[in-house]
């Protein structure tokens, strides 16, 4: 079993930056690829980014390319989502997730474990 604890959300202004963290405990973190998703009120869950076990393969959703960066520190069992140039439309609850495969995917159903979610609110 794996537990994920997220941190780093908050209220910021448009153009600001935030870094989200996702700390894993339990089974070896390196056994999993990591995905970040977000869900705004009244909308479906949206893929944000994914990173493979070794960090050699990284994918981004079209809406965040060039602004967000996913990374992981396997020594600290932690994944990160650096969010720059934030926009009001980035407002959502952000979730990290682990997948028991080498590479991540943009499909939320492919992931096995989920964090508790953290609210990100971007004001205009």
């Amino acid at each position: 079993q794996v537990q994920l604890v997220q941190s780093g959300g908050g209220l910021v202004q448009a153009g600001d930056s935030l870094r989200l963290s996702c700390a894993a405990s339990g089974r070896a973190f390196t056994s999993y690829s990591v995905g970040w998703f977000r869900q705004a009120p009244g909308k479906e869950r949206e893929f944000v980014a994914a990173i493979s076990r070794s960090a050699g393969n990284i994918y981004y959703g079209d809406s965040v390319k060039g602004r967000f960066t996913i990374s992981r520190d396997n020594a600290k069992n932690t994944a990160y989502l650096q969010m720059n140039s934030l926009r009001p439309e980035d407002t959502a609850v952000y979730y990290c997730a682990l997948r028991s495969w080498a590479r991540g995917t943009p499909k939320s159903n492919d992931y096995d474990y989920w964090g508790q979610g953290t609210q990100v609110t971007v004001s205009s």
Side-chain angles (χ1 to χ4, degrees):
Q1 195 70 11
V2 176
Q3 293 79 43
L4 300 177
V5 177
Q6 296 181 224
S7 60
L11 171 64
V12 297
Q13 294 186 335
D16 285 351
S17 299
L18 273 178
R19 188 176 79 159
L20 306 183
S21 298
C22 176
S25 61
R27 286 188 60 188
F29 185 59
T30 52
S31 299
Y32 303 94
S33 54
V34 179
W36 285 93
F37 294 80
R38 67 186 183 186
Q39 189 164 19
K43 295 187 177 181
E44 294 187 352
R45 191 163 292 188
E46 177 189 11
F47 170 70
V48 175
I51 187 168
S52 62
R53 289 175 182 169
S54 64
N57 295 94
I58 291 175
Y59 313 100
Y60 293 99
D62 289 340
S63 61
V64 306
K65 282 181 183 177
R67 300 187 298 122
F68 290 13
T69 302
I70 188 173
S71 63
R72 64 188 296 162
D73 186 337
N74 288 338
K76 295 183 178 179
N77 292 344
T78 302
Y80 304 96
L81 184 68
Q82 177 67 42
M83 305 184 294
N84 298 330
S85 302
L86 282 162
R87 304 167 180 168
E89 54 264 38
D90 295 318
T91 296
V93 176
Y94 283 71
Y95 298 90
C96 64
L98 300 188
R99 181 176 188 245
S100 303
W101 287 85
R103 295 187 180 186
T105 79
K107 300 178 181 179
S108 60
N109 288 343
D110 288 342
Y111 290 81
D112 303 296
Y113 302 100
W114 289 82
Q116 82 277 17
T118 186
Q119 178 69 46
V120 172
T121 303
V122 184
S123 63
S124 58

